[in-house]
């Protein structure tokens, strides 16, 4: 095992609206303080009672998917917590991932694509 799932991140136009929607379905607390994420107008979280964390990321020109239409596919990414970011990067690259954004050397996360092109982030625990 290389990492543990921290949260599932959904892109959207309005992070508060979507976090409240999922809160009405799943219960839990919107924007519970958590040192792993900075909350703000572009980012919100929902900590469910079952331990699942959903995060909501505002995108400038969000275009909702049209099902089933490959021109407007599903939009999300996974945040995977790791103890050692350098070692985890090496491991996921060995498994076939591609580095999309290595950051500036100061951030605690990096963006990758899985072999099918889906994005995910490794985040330093």
């Amino acid at each position: 095992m290389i990492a543990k799932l921290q949260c599932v991140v959904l892109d959207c136009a309005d992070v508060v609206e979507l976090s409240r929607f999922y809160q009405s379905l799943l219960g839990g607390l919107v924007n519970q303080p958590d040192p792993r994420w900075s909350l703000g107008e572009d980012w919100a979280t929902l900590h469910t009672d079952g331990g699942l964390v959903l995060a909501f990321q505002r995108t400038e020109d969000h275009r909702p998917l049209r099902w089933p239409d490959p021109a407007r596919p599903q939009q999300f990414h996974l945040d995977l917590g790791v103890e050692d970011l350098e070692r985890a990067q090496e491991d996921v690259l060995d498994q076939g991932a591609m580095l999309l954004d290595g950051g500036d050397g100061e951030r605690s996360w990096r963006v990758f694509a899985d072999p099918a092109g889906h994005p995910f982030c490794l985040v330093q625990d």
Side-chain angles (χ1 to χ4, degrees), residues 31-86:
N31 289 340
Q32 172 180 307
D34 189 315
R36 295 176 289 182
W37 301 288
S38 296
L39 304 170
E41 66 182 44
D42 294 333
W43 185 268
T45 60
L46 173 63
H47 288 71
T48 67
D49 296 336
L52 173 70
V53 178
L54 294 177
F56 308 91
Q57 177 174 272
R58 188 174 84 73
T59 57
E60 254 328 289
D61 187 25
H62 182 261
R63 296 177 0 171
L65 69 95
R66 288 190 301 236
W67 184 263
D69 181 353
R72 300 272 275 295
Q74 299 179 55
Q75 303 153 5
F76 80 99
H77 71 269
L78 302 174
D79 279 358
L80 305 175
V82 298
E83 290 183 23
D84 182 334
L85 191 55
E86 295 298 326

Side-chain angles (χ1 to χ4, degrees), residues 2-119:
I2 296 171
K4 63 180 181 179
L5 181 65
Q6 283 190 341
C7 66
V8 175
V9 182
L10 294 99
D11 288 352
C12 60
D14 185 329
V15 299
V16 173
E17 176 184 55
L18 197 57
S19 63
R20 297 279 182 217
F21 169 80
Y22 278 99
Q23 181 185 38
S24 74
L25 298 179
L26 303 170
L29 296 172
V30 170
N31 289 340
Q32 172 180 307
D34 189 315
R36 295 176 289 182
W37 301 288
S38 296
L39 304 170
E41 66 182 44
D42 294 333
W43 185 268
T45 60
L46 173 63
H47 288 71
T48 67
D49 296 336
L52 173 70
V53 178
L54 294 177
F56 308 91
Q57 177 174 272
R58 188 174 84 73
T59 57
E60 254 328 289
D61 187 25
H62 182 261
R63 296 177 0 171
L65 69 95
R66 288 190 301 236
W67 184 263
D69 181 353
R72 300 272 275 295
Q74 299 179 55
Q75 303 153 5
F76 80 99
H77 71 269
L78 302 174
D79 279 358
L80 305 175
V82 298
E83 290 183 23
D84 182 334
L85 191 55
E86 295 298 326
R87 176 70 183 159
Q89 175 172 317
E90 182 180 315
D91 290 344
V92 299
L93 292 174
D94 287 347
Q95 293 296 320
M98 180 176 25
L99 180 64
L100 298 178
D101 181 351
D104 57 9
E106 300 293 318
R107 301 194 313 227
S108 63
W109 51 275
R110 297 182 187 150
V111 182
F112 300 84
D114 68 20
H118 303 110

